[in-house]
Amino acid sequence: MSGRSAGLSVLIVDDEKPARAKVRRFVSGDAEVGPIFEARDGVCAVDVVRAESPDLVFLDVQMPGLDGFGVLEALDPTTLPHVVFVTAFEEYAVRAFDIHAVDYVLKPFDAERLTLALARAKEAVGRRRDGEDRRRLTQLLADVRRERPERVERLLVAGADRSVLLPLVRVDRMESARNYIILHAGRETYRIRATLDRLEARVDPRRFVRVSRSAMVNVDRVTELRPWSHGDGIVVLSDGSRLRLSRRYRDRLERFDL
């Protein structure tokens, strides 16, 4: 690489300004590094990745609102940049990074460790390894969520001019559409890249209930259950929408006092 404008583009994501500044000072001294972007939180990071397509992201794991793993889950897996995780010591996360050969640096980090991480990243970006990095990240995310299934209270969605965190309490129903889920919140609809099976495992089962293979409803919005045919039924929501209740999932709603 030659010329700052044609160099490696880098995004630094950390909710602590001094930590971002420290990484920026380090990477800006490398002649092969080009534009450097910063994001103070996970939501901002998603917008920057989508807008700028950086080659490399130094990604803080533990951030309020949307953590580092949540950032990666919100992005299209086919276009993920190379990622170096930045984290305070956490036994499980470090073990997972090692197992999947995903690079990371521990806080407080020093120049030697950052030098090694940057060198590995430049090599990986230069090779463009046919999706190997993406495969490792995808498997890492799957393992992390399986070992530490955290309840989701908000989902990252695309707003009018930027991404926002949508509180699940506002969502009336969720319906699958291939590799996406359509979220219905009042008069607004949002599309996120996820599967209903994966999301069902992370939402509060006292609030959201599966009614068919392709739909899940907010129990607080259910106003009526109507019989239909062959054991199936109809779920009527407070906004007037109706969904088929599969007999396979009927008992999940019947346990509530509706």
Side-chain angles (χ1 to χ4, degrees):
M1 301 178 189
S2 61
R4 181 57 58 105
S5 62
L8 186 80
S9 56
V10 177
L11 169 61
I12 304 164
V13 185
D14 201 303
D15 62 312
E16 298 176 349
K17 187 175 181 178
R20 296 198 306 271
K22 185 173 183 179
V23 177
R24 174 181 276 273
R25 284 195 301 271
F26 173 78
V27 298
S28 63
D30 191 297
E32 295 182 71
V33 171
I36 301 173
F37 309 97
E38 294 187 23
R40 65 181 182 276
D41 56 43
V43 175
C44 180
V46 171
D47 286 339
V48 174
V49 171
R50 288 173 175 168
E52 305 294 345
S53 300
D55 299 306
L56 168 64
V57 178
F58 284 92
L59 181 61
D60 189 17
V61 173
Q62 295 150 312
M63 294 182 291
L66 189 72
D67 66 11
F69 298 126
V71 169
L72 297 182
E73 287 181 321
L75 297 171
D76 183 343
T78 64
T79 59
L80 286 175
H82 184 80
V83 176
V84 175
F85 288 96
V86 181
T87 181
F89 181 74
E90 183 179 15
E91 183 179 354
Y92 173 73
V94 170
R95 186 169 71 250
F97 298 155
D98 285 336
I99 289 173
H100 297 291
V102 175
D103 204 11
Y104 65 92
V105 294
L106 290 175
K107 293 180 178 180
F109 40 75
D110 55 30
E112 181 179 358
R113 186 66 186 88
L114 285 173
T115 298
L116 178 60
L118 184 57
R120 288 174 174 172
K122 289 190 290 186
E123 180 183 359
V125 171
R127 286 202 302 266
R128 301 294 182 188
R129 292 176 294 178
D130 298 328
E132 177 64 16
D133 285 343
R134 290 193 291 270
R135 184 193 65 78
R136 289 175 177 173
L137 284 173
T138 300
Q139 189 59 53
L140 170 68
L141 290 173
D143 286 356
V144 166
R145 292 311 188 197
R146 182 168 54 250
E147 292 290 332
R148 301 192 319 174
E150 300 173 358
R151 291 282 180 235
V152 175
E153 297 294 336
R154 297 181 293 176
L155 292 172
L156 188 70
V157 299
D161 56 357
R162 62 186 177 87
S163 297
V164 296
L165 286 169
L166 174 69
L168 281 180
V169 68
R170 288 186 50 204
V171 176
D172 304 317
R173 67 187 192 276
M174 309 175 184
E175 297 179 275
S176 61
R178 295 180 180 267
N179 295 324
Y180 293 88
I181 294 176
I182 307 300
L183 306 173
H184 298 266
R187 296 183 179 181
E188 300 172 339
T189 59
Y190 303 94
R191 189 179 75 159
I192 62 172
R193 189 180 182 92
T195 65
L196 210 56
D197 285 342
R198 189 174 72 180
L199 189 55
E200 181 186 18
R202 299 186 61 200
V203 298
D204 187 345
R206 297 168 300 178
R207 180 179 297 277
F208 287 94
V209 176
R210 194 79 167 260
V211 295
S212 68
R213 289 183 60 187
S214 60
M216 187 158 51
V217 300
N218 185 334
V219 175
D220 291 340
R221 305 295 197 275
V222 177
T223 59
E224 189 178 355
L225 297 180
R226 298 178 182 176
W228 194 30
S229 64
H230 300 94
D232 290 352
I234 297 294
V235 180
V236 182
L237 303 186
S238 55
D239 64 358
S241 59
R242 303 179 182 185
L243 294 88
R244 183 175 68 88
L245 172 60
S246 169
R247 60 181 179 276
R248 174 184 173 187
Y249 297 96
R250 191 179 188 92
D251 63 330
R252 300 191 185 187
L253 267 182
E254 289 180 339
R255 64 189 172 89
F256 291 92
D257 184 16
L258 298 172

